[in-house]
Amino acid sequence: MKYNYLNRAKEIIIEWFRNGNARVGHAMRLVDIIRLRNKQSNLKVVDCFDDALKELLADGLIEFKKVAVGDVYALTQEGYDFIYDGADSDYLEQAKEVIMNLFRDRKSRVGDVITLREIIRLQNSKEPKIIDNLQKAFDNLVVSGLIELSYCDIGACYSLTQKGFDFIY
């Protein structure tokens, strides 16, 4: 029965990284682990946290580091790939949806633009693998004719085409 509690403790730790949109090297401090433990109502899960960390280390999903601010558990590349296990093509499609949804949510018309500031805001609010595919998504949407690269007072921006307008409405 302990195995189920151990798996749950491992899931809780992995969820912490996922919910934080963690990238490789994202650090979980000891205080974060204490907070996670304190949030748990099942004491059997709490009792498994140390073993869960050991297993995640052994699996290569996290690594232990001593840094200036104290000891941390950092997400590895393998852990990053485990958390965001979808195919890159899936993340590319999601990135394209994010972009077109931004135009739709703003009730954009033909010629309305997404500025660099809005692109940066997108990058701060989405899952890392979606962010990693944003530029490729913009390029794909330009090639497909849904948006076009244009130049605004503040530099490069993307504008909605008639085809894009018809697509989102």
Side-chain angles (χ1 to χ4, degrees):
M1 200 61 161
K2 181 180 178 183
Y3 188 72
N4 292 329
Y5 299 118
L6 177 61
N7 283 341
R8 181 63 190 133
K10 288 167 54 177
E11 288 171 7
I12 290 166
I13 294 166
I14 291 297
E15 285 172 10
W16 183 89
F17 283 106
R18 182 181 293 116
N19 292 338
N21 291 329
R23 291 188 170 275
V24 174
H26 190 104
M28 173 184 267
R29 300 168 299 159
L30 296 178
V31 68
D32 297 318
I33 295 168
I34 292 168
R35 285 184 186 134
L36 277 178
R37 282 181 176 161
N38 290 341
K39 284 183 183 179
Q40 304 312 308
S41 58
N42 188 326
L43 294 179
K44 290 183 179 183
V45 172
V46 172
D47 291 343
C48 291
F49 261 70
D50 289 336
D51 289 336
L53 288 166
K54 288 176 187 172
E55 283 200 16
L56 292 170
L57 284 165
D59 293 341
L61 301 180
I62 60 174
E63 62 184 344
F64 181 78
K65 291 184 173 183
K66 289 189 174 286
V67 294
V69 295
D71 298 341
V72 298
Y73 291 91
L75 189 65
T76 63
Q77 181 66 51
E78 192 171 338
Y80 177 81
D81 293 338
F82 176 80
I83 289 172
Y84 309 109
D85 63 348
D88 283 339
S89 60
D90 293 338
Y91 287 109
L92 175 60
E93 289 305 313
Q94 289 177 40
K96 289 168 30 178
E97 286 178 29
V98 165
I99 295 165
M100 296 310 290
N101 285 342
L102 180 59
F103 279 113
R104 182 182 303 111
D105 293 346
R106 293 176 54 223
K107 297 180 175 37
S108 296
R109 297 194 172 273
V110 174
D112 286 354
V113 299
I114 293 178
T115 63
L116 182 59
R117 181 180 301 150
E118 290 167 308
I119 294 168
I120 291 169
R121 210 171 317 145
L122 280 177
Q123 292 177 336
N124 291 331
S125 65
K126 299 296 173 195
E127 192 173 291
K129 282 211 174 176
I130 293 173
I131 294 166
D132 293 345
N133 279 283
L134 274 177
Q135 187 56 57
K136 191 173 184 180
F138 276 110
D139 295 344
N140 274 293
L141 292 170
V142 167
V143 168
S144 68
L146 297 176
I147 63 175
E148 59 186 23
L149 179 62
S150 55
Y151 295 92
C152 309
D153 294 337
I154 58 172
C157 53
Y158 293 90
S159 59
L160 188 65
T161 65
Q162 181 65 51
K163 185 176 178 182
F165 180 80
D166 295 338
F167 176 79
I168 62 175
Y169 299 109

